[in-house]
Amino acid sequence: MNQPCNSMEPRVMDDDMLKLAVGDQGPQEEAGQLAKQEGILFKDVLSLQLDFRNILRIDNLWQFENLRKLQLDNNIIEKIEGLENLAHLVWLDLSFNNIETIEGLDTLVNLEDLSLFNNRISKIDSLDALVKLQVLSLGNNRIDNMMNIIYLRRFKCLRTLSLSRNPISEAEDYKMFICAYLPDLMYLDYRRIDDHTASVSLSVSQPCETDSSSPQKKLAEAKHQYSIDELKHQENLMQAQLEDEQAQREELEKHKTAFVEHLNGSFLFDSMYAEDSEGNNLSYLPGVGELLETYKDKFVIICVNIFEYGLKQQEKRKTELDTFSECVREAIQENQEQGKRKIAKFEEKHLSSLSAIREELELPNIEKMILECSADISELFDALMTLEMQLVEQLEETINMFERNIVDMVGLFIENVQSLMAQCRDLENHHHEKLLEISISTLEKIVEGDLDEDLPNDLRALFVDKDTIVNAVGASHDIHLLKIDNREDELVTRINSWCTRLIDRIHKDEIMRNRKRVKEINQYIDHMQSELDNLECGDILD
Amino acid sequence: MEVLREKVEEEEEAEREEAAEWAEWARMEKMMRPVEVRKEEITLKQETLRDLEKKLSEIQITVSAELPAFTKDTIDISKLPISYKTNTPKEEHLLQVADNFSRQYSHLCPDRVPLFLHPLNECEVPKFVSTTLRPTLMPYPELYNWDSCAQFVSDFLTMVPLPDPLKPTIKKEEKVLPKKYTIKPPRDLCSRFEQEQEVKKQQEIRAQEKKRLREEEERLMEAEKAKPDALHGLRVHSWVLVLSGKREVPENFFIDPFTGHSYSTQDEHFLGIESLWNHKNYWINMQDCWNCCKDLIFDLGDPVRWEYMLLGTDKSQLSLTEEDDSGINDEDDVENLGKEDEDKSFDMPHSWVEQIEISPEAFETRCPNGKKVIQYKRAKLEKWAPYLNSNGLVSRLTTYEDLQCTNILEIKEWYQNREDMLELKHINKTTDLKTDYFKPGHPQALRVHSYKSMQPEMDRVIEFYETARVDGLMKREETPRTMTEYYQGRPDFLSYRHASFGPRVKKLTLSSAESNPRPIVKITERFFRNPAKPAEEDVAERVFLVAEERIQLRYHCREDHITASKREFLRRTEVDSKGNKIIMTPDMCISFEVEPMEHTKKLLYQYEAMMHLKREEKLSRHQVWESELEVLEILKLREEEEAAHTLTISIYDTKRNEKSKEYREAMERMMHEEHLRQVETQLDYLAPFLAQLPPGEKLTCWQAVRLKDECLSDFKQRLINKANLIQARFEKETQELQKKQQWYQENQVTLTPEDEDLYLSYCSQAMFRIRILEQRLNRHKELAPLKYLALEEKLYKDPRLGELQKIFA
């Protein structure tokens, strides 16, 4: 199989090749015979070696779901592909191929050891998914930009790196640079860092005035101090930003589960005015500014009330739910323990009676004892089923009680929120009346011509006649009411659907549990019974 | 029965604060001490705050008056200081005061027993009880607090029954009687009469029980207590009373000197108190003791309740009690009562006894001869000092079935300082089960070893300190046919292994060197849940039925399940119809799976699982075999340890630690030698000259000058001689070298290379010698004047030649 690669045509990875390889590399001797006898499924294969086969294209590997180690070295592969399904892969060897870019590795999240030695890669890239990467071999490639090293900083587990015989390894401070930028690295180009301190520090042409006996890492660090500091600073900033965002997201998520997101400020109020051009225009009327200010204050206070109330209620619901789950779990556990005890007791007895049967010689006696045994089995079945039914009843009662309580809670919450929302509406109505008053008085003033102040043109356009202004104010009012209604509806709908889903889930879980348990019991009893039957047959045959 | 010197000492200690009680014939007596106690001293101790601090760690010496005859034999009186044999005038005065006091007392209270005031000490000299107490601070921290101190005293005491349990002070009485005859007889008679009547009444009963009583007496007090005590209320005892107030003593309590236990003052065993004393004063109890000591009030400042003997000292004690005022009042009362018997300012004389000294050896030995036996009801406790027994035995408790102590039920032996860390050996005589308990640190990490015989393959349980073992073994139980091991904290989660053995097969081939292990029939292993594995792959129990070639597996139960997967492998090496070997068939693996899985159905999987189990089985068998070997090893080691029973010695124990002793002695020797050398170097330069003069006389000026001159001239001569000597040697060497050189030049031609070499080496050596001699000579020349001047200087300063200084001064 190991012929020199230039003497053969490119080969296709077909089923035959894979089968052959699997068969060759599978279990040996007796086990091998067995394996041959019943065949090996590709998905059971853990390790596969496909070297020196002149493969041009990776293919047909999708069945090897559980593959841990894959060797594809010394082929003529040009593109990394077809590895998407090998999510359990830990060890991947693609050395001595013709690969030009790193790609197609995004699903291999478990990869720890990657070898791309002797390829045509010029850029380290597309490795972001490999968070567990420990060993990376990229020697004998075409990497020529030192900045590729910085990309490797994200691999926190990376300990071994090989970059020799790349254009960048020619650079005079190549080792220094890598040591400086990858401080956690233990081995570089097959050598332990620090072991060759002396040679390196001597070979540095322009050492930054440090003691030449200091370890290599320190030396390297000192040399690239400034750039590294900057880099670190940036990284820290990024990190902090990410964390901030994360925290914000979490906070919002928390509010959302309480169904009161964005109610802890003027968000709702602002949104009321966001699409309300008339309202905005009207706010330029004399006296409306202050009116709006007080209106906003009051409105926000109510919103915050709703928000806080929502959080409190959420807390309450959570405790309720926790208590419920705790109790249910305890009940189930207790029940399981009982079941286990019953089974253990039964097994003890069963075992002894089985051995008694084996030793018994008289056929009638055997039959009698077998009968006794099956009676025992059915007794156990009854006992277990009774236990289960008992639990089902108990749980059902509990669940119903919980359901009632949680529905009550939700109902109360909705009611209270609605009353608070009604306050909002009252405020809006009040505001509307005031605004209308001011508008009409302003109109009158305008009609009479003794308006002192300048009004924006948009606003002035509204004051043509009474209908227009009333309509405008009304439209603004409608928009506001609509916003409030929408918010209320949203809250109510969401909490109701949450409640329904929760209850459904609980019921479904319970049903699932019950079915599983019944199935388990049946399976066990069947097994016991069939074992007994087999024994019977065997004995009769004897 | 021997009263040893220690005994005296120990008693001396007992009294740091003692309230002694003279059991009164009628009412006050102690049930607790059925054994007659020869009480030599009664110490009454009133503890005041300051005293208490001192006293708890103090030791006072009392020597009692009426030592029976045997004491005299054992105590060498001649070596005792003079204070033991005579009384100072002040003591004489005190004795008179005491006599006076006792006369008045017997006059006022004719029906009470005579006071125990001045017993005879070991030199037959009457001494007042208070002066037998001498507060002493001992260097042992253990003696600082009352409990450990009391324990020590009780260990130190040997109880010697009195000839007559009711008469502790026969001699004293006799001694006292001649002096104050007139008053004493009625009182004495009275009490005797009462006693006799009492005795007569119970004569019959006593006669019957006498024999038994005597036996019992020597035994346990409890045993005795069970029977009606003929002498109830008549016995005399003395014990220690500790008063509250000082050193955080919250309330008054009694200490019994024989047991070292403390008792509440409410304890019903203490039937009453006749008198109390400490090293400063003596009090008589004037309170009614009809309800034992329960109603007694220990306010010694109250003269109505406590009649004191000396006024002067009384005061100081009063001021230390809480009720200072009452103390002053008392004083008045005393005067009013007309108790002007003695000088009010009379102080208790200083104690005549020597300060007690307990050597570290004696302290460690504790009991007389380092051994003490205490009899209890149906039990006997023996105590030894550490290192007294070569096997480290420090105490042994033997419990008996019957009161006569003939049938032993069980024996418990405690050990100390054993190198094998054996702490306790428990032997149950009825079941014949022996259990050894070990402290941490045994080479085999043993904790408990219980066995019936040291033969292997018998019933035995060995527990281990599992953290000290690599394999985490906690316990190994063995019966003739099984071995069970319990593990904890193993990386492979093994928790239990049980092996049962079949009968040993007789081997025909006699390869005696090889052991013949019993065949293993079955091995059961249980495992804890390994959280890293899913439950259906985590084996909970596996049973290797070695004989049947069957392996049973039971897996752990999944969290939400009640049944667990099971699997059974049956290994059959058979040949099918075509003669091919059957490797694996489906019926070789019977399994029940809670959730059937695809891959486990495969023969390959089953085959691999079975192969794995086969290997595991081999390992387990090996493990069992090794365990057996280990048991053998442990037994061997235990036997060796028992035979050797070496004791460890702390490196700080300079007395017993041989190494450090050697080292110390070597150091001492070196020091000594060094010292000798120094002495030598400081030879007296004047000695030869002084010897010429008549000794002991002071030198005259003239003599001093002459001495100095002689000494100096002598020294000068020595220096010159030395220079000459070096010079002579130098010249001799040079001459020899020249001769040799000459000889060489003459014979150079005929010399063999060896001779030449010889010559050359001689030359270099000679040259070296000459050079050294030259150097020495030069040095001598340089130093000689200095040495001379130094000697001169020394001579001027020599005190013996003080006259010289006068001249030059």
Side-chain angles (χ1 to χ4, degrees), chain B residues 225-328:
Chain B
K225 206 160 86 183
K227 295 180 186 81
D229 180 13
L231 293 175
H232 182 85
L234 294 178
R235 293 180 200 287
V236 165
H237 182 48
S238 66
W239 65 92
V240 182
L241 163 70
V242 179
L243 291 178
S244 64
K246 286 240 189 127
R247 284 194 36 188
E248 294 167 8
V249 177
E251 57 182 0
N252 306 330
F253 61 92
F254 295 143
I255 302 173
D256 185 71
F258 285 101
T259 57
H261 296 162
S262 71
Y263 297 89
S264 152
T265 53
Q266 310 289 316
D267 196 288
E268 58 183 13
H269 287 124
F270 296 89
L271 299 174
I273 294 177
E274 194 73 8
S275 56
L276 294 174
W277 72 87
N278 66 359
H279 61 293
K280 287 186 183 153
N281 209 343
Y282 190 97
W283 293 264
I284 300 164
N285 178 22
M286 305 303 278
Q287 299 170 72
D288 200 345
C289 294
W290 64 273
N291 192 12
C292 302
C293 292
K294 284 173 193 167
D295 295 338
L296 289 190
I297 292 166
F298 292 96
D299 174 15
L300 298 181
D302 185 349
V304 178
R305 297 197 172 95
W306 296 96
E307 186 70 57
Y308 53 84
M309 194 181 98
L310 296 183
L311 185 59
T313 46
D314 192 15
K315 230 189 204 169
S316 66
Q317 297 206 331
L318 269 177
S319 65
L320 291 168
T321 59
E322 284 171 19
E323 298 149 56
D324 269 62
D325 306 356
S326 70
I328 293 158

Side-chain angles (χ1 to χ4, degrees), chain A residues 27-35 37-41 43-44 333 335-337 339-340 343 347 351 358 384 516-517 519-521 523-525 527-528 531, chain B residues 548 550 552 554 557-564 566 568 571 581-585 590-596 598-599 601-608 611:
Chain A
Q28 304 298 316
E29 296 171 25
E30 292 189 341
Q33 286 181 37
L34 275 178
Q37 200 176 313
E38 57 179 11
I40 299 172
L41 287 181
K43 65 172 184 177
D44 293 339
Q333 207 123 43
N335 186 276
Q336 274 180 15
E337 284 307 314
K340 274 186 202 168
I343 289 177
E347 266 181 11
L351 223 62
R358 282 209 190 88
L384 290 178
K516 230 163 104 185
R517 175 58 39 82
K519 188 180 148 208
E520 191 189 344
I521 294 172
Q523 209 176 338
Y524 183 74
I525 297 297
H527 173 78
M528 281 312 189
E531 205 181 58
Chain B
E548 299 173 47
R550 194 195 288 269
Q552 291 168 339
R554 188 169 55 78
C557 198
R558 256 166 61 160
E559 240 176 54
D560 50 348
H561 281 72
I562 52 171
T563 54
K566 277 187 285 189
E568 184 169 342
R571 178 91 168 128
K581 200 173 140 202
I582 294 175
I583 302 164
M584 186 83 201
T585 51
I590 306 158
S591 51
F592 163 69
E593 280 172 5
V594 177
E595 296 212 334
E598 186 81 7
H599 70 281
K601 290 263 186 320
K602 291 246 179 182
L603 277 182
L604 179 60
Y605 173 87
Q606 293 172 357
Y607 173 78
E608 275 172 353
M611 284 299 119

Side-chain angles (χ1 to χ4, degrees), chain A residues 86-267:
Chain A
L86 316 185
H88 290 106
L89 211 57
V90 174
W91 213 94
L92 178 60
D93 190 350
L94 284 166
S95 52
F96 296 96
N97 279 296
N98 300 330
I99 297 162
E100 285 180 2
T101 49
I102 304 174
E103 58 191 330
L105 299 173
D106 295 336
T107 53
L108 311 184
V109 287
N110 289 311
L111 205 62
E112 287 174 8
D113 190 324
L114 175 62
S115 176
L116 290 164
F117 194 83
N118 198 5
N119 278 290
R120 298 170 190 170
I121 295 161
S122 55
K123 188 163 186 292
I124 307 176
D125 202 359
S126 305
L127 292 169
D128 303 59
L130 317 186
V131 284
K132 294 184 183 171
L133 197 64
Q134 288 176 8
V135 181
L136 179 61
S137 170
L138 279 166
N140 217 0
N141 273 292
R142 296 176 184 172
I143 299 162
D144 52 3
N145 192 343
M146 213 53 119
M147 287 309 127
N148 278 311
I149 305 300
I150 295 170
Y151 176 79
L152 295 176
R153 275 177 76 84
R154 68 194 63 197
F155 302 110
K156 299 296 173 209
C157 304
L158 189 66
R159 293 290 176 273
T160 307
L161 178 65
S162 161
L163 279 171
S164 60
R165 291 161 70 197
N166 273 298
I168 53 165
S169 59
E170 309 292 313
E172 56 190 17
D173 63 344
Y174 154 74
K175 276 184 179 160
M176 287 292 149
F177 191 86
I178 291 178
C179 292
Y181 279 90
L182 303 172
D184 291 336
L185 205 64
M186 304 272 286
Y187 298 90
L188 175 62
D189 296 341
Y190 321 113
R191 299 178 78 171
R192 199 184 150 89
I193 295 174
D194 269 350
D195 281 349
H196 45 158
T197 312
S199 64
V200 171
S201 49
L202 287 177
S203 73
V204 170
S205 54
Q206 14 159 310
C208 29
E209 276 36 81
T210 33
D211 186 358
S212 66
S213 67
S214 76
Q216 184 185 358
K217 272 186 187 170
K218 271 197 191 145
L219 203 66
E221 237 169 60
K223 188 165 177 193
H224 297 276
Q225 191 68 50
Y226 293 115
S227 46
I228 285 182
D229 279 354
E230 206 183 319
L231 201 66
K232 273 187 184 159
H233 183 64
Q234 278 177 12
E235 282 174 355
N236 285 344
L237 278 184
M238 292 272 279
Q239 187 66 27
Q241 205 181 331
L242 273 175
E243 276 167 14
D244 273 0
E245 275 172 25
Q246 184 69 22
Q248 274 178 13
R249 259 204 304 280
E250 275 169 14
E251 186 75 11
L252 187 62
E253 203 49 48
K254 201 178 132 201
H255 296 166
K256 269 192 178 160
T257 53
F259 313 107
V260 289
E261 72 277 10
H262 302 313
L263 282 175
N264 54 341
S266 59
F267 183 83

